[in-house]
Each structure stands twice: as C-alpha cells, then as structure tokens.
C-alpha cells in the first residue's frame, strides 16, 4: 500500500490481486477500509481550523454514488426511514426495526445502517437483524472499490475528487450500504445519520417514508456549530418536502430552529410525547429514558406502514397500538446500550456516553440499578471528547447516595498483549503517543481524586487488564458501570466473549 497526503487531498493507492489463485479476502477489505480513516494529525488541523460548512458535501456524495452506479432516485426503492439526533437516534432505529420486523414476511427484507460499530464493522450494515456476512461484505466492498477505481470525476467540477482520491471512511460505508441494500432487494431501510444531517453522507436520500429527530444537544461543535440553534438547523436538514417529520420534545432554541426548517421545506413537523402504551410496556432496551425513543419509533413505524399502505385498517385509535408494536418494543435489543450482563458474581452495566446529556441519562439509569450492598466499580474512558466534564457530571448526578468503591480509567485497547481485537477496532483518530502514555487516563484519575478521595483509583493500559482486575475482586456482589466511549463498550464485549 502506498499512501500520500497532498494538502487537503488524500491520494490512496491500494493494489490487490484479482487472480483466482489469490482472491481478495475479508482482511484485505478491512485493511482497505481502514486506509480511508482520517488520521490524528489531519483531525487536529481540522479541529483547530475555523469551522466552515461543507456545502460541497452533498454534490460530492451524489457524484460518488454516480461512480458506483446509482442516482439518488434509485434509493427510493429502499423505502427509507431517516433518523437524526444527538442522543437516542441509535436506540430509536433499534426500536423501529424491532417493531417492523413483526410485519415480516409482509416486509421481506429490512436493512439497518447505523454507526459506530462495537465489535465488527459489519454490524453497521444489517439485514433482518443480522450483520452482513464476511463473504458478502468482502464481495460488495470490492465491487464498490473497483467501480470507484474504474471511474473518474470531472476535476473542474469536483476538484477534490481527482485521480486516486477515494471517499473517506464514513462516506465509503454509506455508499457500500446503498449498494448492499439495493443488490439484496431490501424493501424497507432504516438509516441513522452519522453527524448532523444537512451535510451528512446519508442525506442524498430524496423521498424517505418518515423522518425522525431524537433529542438534540451540544456535540460535534467544530462541524455543526456551537449553539443548539446551529446544531438543530443542521439536523433539520434531513427533512424532505412531502414526508412527515417526527421529533421528541426539544429545548426551545432547538425546537425553534426545527420549526424554521420545516417551514422552509414545507414539512409537517409533529412533536412526539411518551406514548401511553409505551409507558406501560417493559421495553427490551430497559431504561425509563428509553420511553421517548421507543415512542418516536412507534410514530416512525406507524407512518412508514401507512405510507406503504400496510398499517392495519382496524387500528384507528392512535392511543392504542397493535400487538405487533408491543411485541417489537418488548423484544428490541441494542448491544452496548443500557445492556446488563451477568458474569458470575459480577454484573456489568454498559452504556456509551459522549455528551453531558447522555452521561446524565446514564447516571439516572445506573441509579435505578444500583444495589445498596453491592461493591460498585466505575470503568470509564473517553479519548476524544471533554472527558473531565463527563466525569464531573457523572459524579454530580449520582450525588452522595451512590459511591464508587473503585474507579478504573483505561484505554480502548482490547488486549493486554497490546493491540485491538481486530483491525476493525483500530482507530487512527487518536494520538498513539497519548494512548501509550495514558495521558487522558492519568488526568481523569487526578480529577476523580479531587471529586471523591475515598474511592480506590486505578489507571490500567487495556480493557483486558481492567476485566482481569474486576474478576479478581473477592466480593459476593459487584456492579460495574462501563461508560464513556462506545469503543470501550465494544472492546469490553469482545473481552467478555473471549
């Protein structure tokens, strides 16, 4: 592999033999995909630069799709539900899928595109609840890769898409999802936005059946803006004329921005409260704060079925729900989100959190699970966000009633021998030196010492070290809250699964 960077243009040349005696493998596909990640040095330049809206993002994405063989109109066949938000959009997608899966085989194939992945990149592209197989991922990956290699863009129109340039990681995966779902004849698809909405790679979708907007908070400020108004404006960009949009209750500043976008696009924007049936249902993703995400999913699934002409005619009362909806809500699952795992005398409680809003609901969820006499352990990492702010907020929300006997800060590296579980968990987005030197972890340890000097605090180099330490605790009842980075949660699942 030869890789060079020239200014903002990334020239990548990867050579894979096509001969039958040496076919390209799944490992080759992952290596090629990882070459599209933006490295830490480049990200630092972007983070320190003045934020500018990438108004060329959508035209370029349309052009990338053209080179793979698709126009935006081709995506109409997928009957897409499009979901954005800051906290809860992934859970909303999971609830929506679980509800609609109850209507199979009437809906023959349901595709879901989400991010990030926990253990395997194939989780991002699933059909009927199953991640794409390694064989299919490899085949479809190289079909897209080769089509891009064998096509060109007019450089006068697309100067950043010259010879040898490829779409970055998330753009490529979005293109791959389109190719997979269209090739596999998916007839319902659920798409989770990556970042924002207006300029997101998924936003070449023209005619979604329904649009969902989960809770909006402050995040990705370098890209989306520093105020709720700016961020909500960006997320409202996925609304499309002729399609109903459904939103959970938002803060006034965000709601005003969403209403402005709805008016601009002539879209009916509907506020979704907690559905009375949802409030009485034991959700598969078991946390009280998930009630609003489940209610949003109910509105999206109902509208989707209505658009397709498949919602039961006898269900005329919106305050009631068909049995299929209730079954879907009860059986929904979303690994790494409000997930509880029993491991002998240890109970692992997992949920990612990367914003103040998300760490608040994690604290509230843990408060409902914490047992008085259990030994309580916090396992935390957050390599790229304001980790100190998240830790302080977690401590503040839990208050004096819930005390962590032990607090562990570790990196997202999986194994004690060094390295990640697989190339699929490799990230180039962080400083390798800072990870090696445990810079963030040591800073967090110092901060927790100030917050609660009675906790025993450890800094460990890998997730496996942390799991080994917890398993050696001589206690009859141990509860471990694992939160912060979803990469930490994914790595923990890998270690627990051996």
């Amino acid at each position: 592999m030869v890789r060079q960077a020239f200014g903002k243009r990334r020239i990548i040349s990867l050579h894979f033999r096509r001969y039958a005696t040496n076919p390209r493998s799944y490992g080759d596909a992952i290596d090629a995909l990882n070459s599209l990640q933006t490295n830490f040095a480049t990200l630092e330049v972007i983070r320190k630069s003045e934020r500018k809206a990438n108004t060329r993002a959508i035209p370029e994405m349309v052009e990338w799709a053209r080179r793979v063989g698709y126009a935006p109109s081709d995506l109409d066949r997928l009957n897409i539900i499009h979901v954005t938000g800051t906290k809860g959009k992934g859970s909303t997608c999971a609830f929506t899928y679980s509800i609609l899966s109850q209507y199979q085989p009437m809906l023959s194939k349901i595709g879901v595109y989400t991010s990030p992945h926990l253990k395997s990149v194939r989780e991002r592209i699933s059909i009927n609840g199953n991640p794409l197989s390694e064989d299919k991922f490899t085949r479809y990956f190289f079909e897209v890769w080769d089509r891009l290699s064998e096509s060109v863009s007019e450089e006068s129109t697309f100067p950043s898409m010259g010879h040898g340039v490829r779409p970055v990681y998330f753009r490529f995966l979005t293109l791959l999802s389109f190719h997979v779902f269209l090739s596999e004849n998916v007839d319902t698809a659920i798409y989770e936005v990556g970042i924002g909405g207006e300029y997101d790679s998924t936003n070449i979708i023209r005619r979604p059946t329904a649009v969902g907007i989960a809770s909006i908070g402050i995040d990705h400020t370098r890209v989306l803006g520093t105020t709720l108004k700016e961020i909500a404006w960006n997320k409202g960009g996925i609304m499309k004329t002729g399609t109903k949009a459904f939103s959970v209750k938002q803060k006034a500043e965000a709601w005003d921005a969403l209403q402005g976008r709805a008016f601009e696009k002539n879209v009916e924007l509907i506020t979704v409260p907690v559905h009375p049936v949802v409030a009485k249902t034991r959700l598969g993703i078991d946390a009280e704060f998930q009630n609003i995400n489940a209610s949003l999913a109910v509105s999206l699934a109902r509208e989707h079925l209505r658009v397709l002409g498949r919602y039961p005619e006898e269900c005329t009362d919106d305050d009631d729900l068909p049995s299929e909806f209730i079954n879907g809500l009860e059986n929904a699952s979303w690994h790494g989100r409000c997930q509880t795992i029993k491991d002998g005398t240890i109970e692992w409680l997992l949920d990612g959190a990367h914003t103040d809003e998300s760490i608040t609901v994690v604290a509230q969820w843990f408060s409902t699970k914490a047992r008085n006499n259990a030994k309580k352990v916090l396992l935390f990492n957050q390599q790229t966000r304001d980790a100190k702010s998240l830790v302080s907020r977690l401590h503040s929300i839990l208050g004096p009633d819930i005390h962590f006997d032990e607090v562990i800060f570790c990196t997202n590296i999986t194994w004690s021998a060094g390295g990640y579980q697989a190339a699929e968990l490799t990230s180039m987005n962080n400083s390798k030196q800072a990870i090696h030197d445990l810079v963030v972890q040591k800073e967090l340890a110092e901060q927790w010492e100030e917050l609660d000097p009675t906790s025993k605090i450890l800094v460990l180099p890998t997730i496996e070290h942390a799991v080994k330490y917890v398993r050696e605790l001589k206690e009859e009842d141990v509860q471990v809250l694992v939160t912060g980075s979803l990469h930490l949660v994914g790595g923990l699942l890998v270690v627990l699964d051996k």
Side-chain angles (χ1 to χ4, degrees), residues 370-488:
R371 293 186 291 274
N372 290 334
N373 297 325
K375 185 181 187 70
K376 298 175 187 64
V377 181
L378 170 65
L379 176 55
F380 183 93
N381 188 45
Q382 181 54 260
Q383 206 72 35
T384 59
R385 302 304 208 285
D386 186 354
K388 287 186 176 181
S389 172
L390 296 177
V391 164
S392 293
R393 193 170 186 87
L394 175 64
H395 180 269
S396 173
I397 297 296
L398 290 175
D401 294 335
I402 298 181
H403 163 73
F404 287 110
D405 302 285
E406 310 214 15
V407 177
I408 304 170
F409 299 109
C410 71
T411 69
N412 294 335
I413 295 174
T414 316
W415 300 115
S416 56
Y420 297 89
Q421 175 260 352
E424 293 168 84
L425 291 183
T426 300
S427 173
M428 299 178 184
N429 300 159
N430 302 306
S431 167
K432 291 182 179 179
Q433 191 62 48
I435 293 172
H436 178 270
D437 294 341
L438 302 171
V439 171
V440 172
Q441 291 70 33
K442 291 174 181 177
E443 290 176 351
L444 291 172
E446 291 176 3
Q447 183 185 20
W448 195 273
E449 176 71 26
E450 296 177 3
L451 293 171
D452 187 353
T454 64
S455 298
K456 181 179 179 180
I457 305 169
L458 294 93
V459 170
L460 298 176
T462 72
I463 298 168
E464 186 180 17
H465 279 103
V467 171
K468 183 174 185 294
Y469 177 83
V470 171
R471 282 177 168 168
E472 290 176 351
L473 292 173
K474 305 301 182 183
E475 303 287 341
E476 293 184 359
D477 187 10
V478 180
Q479 289 185 298
V480 188
L481 174 62
V482 184
T483 190
S485 171
L486 275 173
H487 298 293
L488 169 67

Side-chain angles (χ1 to χ4, degrees), residues 70 74 77-78 104 107-112 125-128 130-141 143 147 175-189 191:
Y70 301 111
D74 293 320
R77 292 165 24 208
L78 297 178
Q104 291 181 301
L107 304 177
S108 62
K109 287 188 177 181
I110 305 173
V112 181
I125 304 173
S126 66
I127 298 177
N128 290 346
N130 299 309
L132 209 59
S133 68
E134 289 189 5
D135 287 344
K136 284 191 174 183
F137 184 94
T138 304
R139 172 159 60 90
Y140 287 130
F141 179 93
E143 285 177 0
R147 291 182 189 186
L175 290 167
L176 178 59
S177 73
F178 293 149
H179 179 54
V180 168
F181 292 158
L182 288 167
S183 299
E184 291 285 325
N185 296 315
V186 163
D187 57 1
T188 284
Y191 268 77

Side-chain angles (χ1 to χ4, degrees), residues 86-292:
T86 304
K87 174 66 176 175
K89 62 183 186 295
S91 299
T92 298
C93 290
F95 280 120
T96 305
Y97 165 73
S98 189
I99 293 169
L100 293 178
S101 69
Q102 306 299 311
Y103 288 88
Q104 291 181 301
M106 184 172 65
L107 304 177
S108 62
K109 287 188 177 181
I110 305 173
V112 181
Y113 178 63
T114 61
S115 61
H117 59 276
L118 294 179
K119 296 191 289 184
S120 168
V121 70
R122 295 178 291 108
E123 299 164 19
R124 296 183 182 226
I125 304 173
S126 66
I127 298 177
N128 290 346
N130 299 309
L132 209 59
S133 68
E134 289 189 5
D135 287 344
K136 284 191 174 183
F137 184 94
T138 304
R139 172 159 60 90
Y140 287 130
F141 179 93
F142 282 113
E143 285 177 0
V144 172
W145 187 271
D146 292 341
R147 291 182 189 186
L148 292 173
S149 299
E150 294 161 2
S151 59
V152 296
S153 298
E154 177 55 58
E155 287 200 47
S156 61
T157 306
F158 300 101
S160 62
M161 297 174 64
H163 179 72
V165 178
R166 294 186 185 277
V168 294
Y169 189 92
F170 186 78
R171 278 188 177 186
F172 190 96
L173 285 173
T174 305
L175 290 167
L176 178 59
S177 73
F178 293 149
H179 179 54
V180 168
F181 292 158
L182 288 167
S183 299
E184 291 285 325
N185 296 315
V186 163
D187 57 1
T188 284
I190 302 164
Y191 268 77
E192 178 188 1
V193 166
I195 295 177
E198 177 75 15
Y199 306 112
D200 188 72
S201 302
T202 63
N203 205 29
I204 66 170
I205 297 165
R206 298 186 324 156
R207 296 173 59 190
T209 58
V211 165
I213 305 172
S215 178
I216 295 175
I218 300 293
D219 195 21
H220 299 294
T221 54
R222 286 286 181 185
V223 179
L224 305 180
T226 58
T227 67
L228 275 178
K229 180 179 179 181
E230 291 176 300
I231 294 170
W233 181 92
N234 203 304
K235 293 183 184 293
I238 71 168
M239 287 189 264
K240 300 293 188 300
T241 303
T243 298
K244 289 183 181 179
F246 300 86
S247 172
V248 303
K249 185 179 180 180
Q250 307 284 356
K251 292 180 180 178
E253 189 178 359
W255 181 247
D256 288 345
L258 291 177
Q259 284 186 310
R261 298 238 64 185
F263 179 79
E264 166 197 334
K265 295 170 175 285
N266 193 26
V267 167
E268 183 180 358
L269 176 61
I270 302 165
T271 305
V272 176
V274 172
H275 194 283
V277 176
V278 170
K280 297 183 291 184
T281 300
R282 178 69 180 268
L283 301 177
I285 309 174
D286 184 20
E288 185 178 353
F289 74 84
Q290 292 287 359
N291 284 350
I292 190 59

